[in-house]
Amino acid sequence: MSHTSVGIRQTQKLRTRQALLDAALVLLEHQSLSSLGLREVTRAAGVTPTAFYRHFEDTAALGVALVEETLGSLHGLIAAVLVETGDSEQRLDRSVEVIARHVGAQPAHFRFIAREQHGGVGPVREAIAAQLRRFAEEVACALGQEPGAAGWSEEDLLMLGGLYVDHMVITTSTLLEAGPEGEEEVVRVARRRLRLVSIGREHWLDET
């Protein structure tokens, strides 16, 4: 078999996988993952049920792939913000901008995350939780490298990272509810809340 044939097959395989993900995402606008049928997805994607199993073990595995597609791409963007020059408040402001832009570009993806974070499909809940823990660890690591982190324990830094990630999740949900017309106000409030957390951070060690 020629390299060209292999390349064509691989491209087609990737296209089919993406077609399944895209079809599922459209269907999930109106239902939960636990109610989504395999044949429903393959019919919408224009492929056979047999083709589905070449890419995913079941709809739960498809849901995990959607989690990775949605949140996995955010890691690089947030990481880039965290290493920018400027103080931590400026970087956190930038992170709100990044999230708002990402939610605006992929609302269906983030509605899926918001719905399934506490949904009935265990592997998907676990995948979302794992991604959020990873975000918290990355934020904690970045904050721990700042001069103001002197004296902070790893546990407290991780707690702080978790607070920022919780804020990210709340902001995402609020952006989805507000829609494009309400984005400016959501971003304004999100930045004020982050500043409140930052003020508390500055005084965290005062009583310890």
Side-chain angles (χ1 to χ4, degrees), residues 12 46 61 84-86 88 128 179 187 196:
Q12 183 57 48
E84 286 180 358
T85 56
S88 60
I128 294 171
V187 169
L196 185 59

Side-chain angles (χ1 to χ4, degrees), residues 6-201:
V6 172
I8 291 173
R9 287 195 175 189
Q10 183 64 24
T11 299
Q12 183 57 48
K13 185 177 181 180
L14 291 173
R15 285 177 179 169
T16 300
R17 184 180 189 277
Q18 191 60 52
L20 289 165
L21 291 169
D22 292 345
L25 199 61
V26 171
L27 294 168
L28 288 167
E29 284 278 353
H30 309 289
Q31 61 185 302
S32 65
L33 183 64
S34 60
S35 68
L36 187 66
L38 182 152
R39 291 185 179 277
E40 193 179 3
V41 176
T42 54
R43 189 183 307 116
V47 301
T48 65
T50 302
F52 179 94
Y53 288 111
R54 297 193 189 106
H55 301 275
F56 305 106
E57 181 179 340
D58 50 26
T59 53
L62 182 146
V64 170
L66 281 173
V67 172
E68 293 171 352
E69 183 176 74
T70 304
L71 297 179
S73 60
L74 259 179
H75 286 284
L77 295 173
I78 297 297
V81 171
L82 291 173
V83 299
E84 286 180 358
T85 56
D87 62 31
S88 60
E89 188 170 299
Q90 291 173 324
R91 292 199 299 277
L92 290 168
D93 275 355
R94 282 277 297 120
S95 71
V96 173
E97 293 176 10
V98 167
I99 292 165
R101 186 167 63 248
H102 222 55
V103 171
Q106 297 181 309
H109 283 80
F110 285 94
R111 274 194 289 271
F112 163 75
I113 296 295
R115 183 187 302 116
E116 299 300 330
Q117 183 180 2
H118 304 292
V121 182
V124 174
R125 288 198 313 272
E126 292 164 9
I128 294 171
Q131 289 282 352
L132 296 181
R133 281 196 301 272
R134 181 180 161 195
F135 275 121
E137 290 165 358
E138 290 168 350
V139 173
C141 181
L143 294 174
Q145 296 174 18
E146 296 182 352
W152 279 67
S153 67
E154 290 185 12
E155 180 183 3
D156 286 355
L157 283 170
L158 187 57
M159 179 177 65
L160 180 61
L163 281 174
Y164 284 129
V165 171
D166 288 345
H167 180 272
M168 177 184 78
V169 172
I170 292 170
T171 300
T172 298
S173 297
T174 308
L175 284 166
L176 289 170
E177 293 173 5
E181 63 279 1
E183 178 181 317
E184 184 177 345
E185 176 62 12
V186 172
V187 169
R188 185 189 72 81
V189 173
R191 284 174 169 165
R192 284 177 58 82
R193 286 175 175 167
L194 280 178
R195 289 191 178 95
L196 185 59
V197 175
S198 295
I199 291 170
R201 174 191 170 194

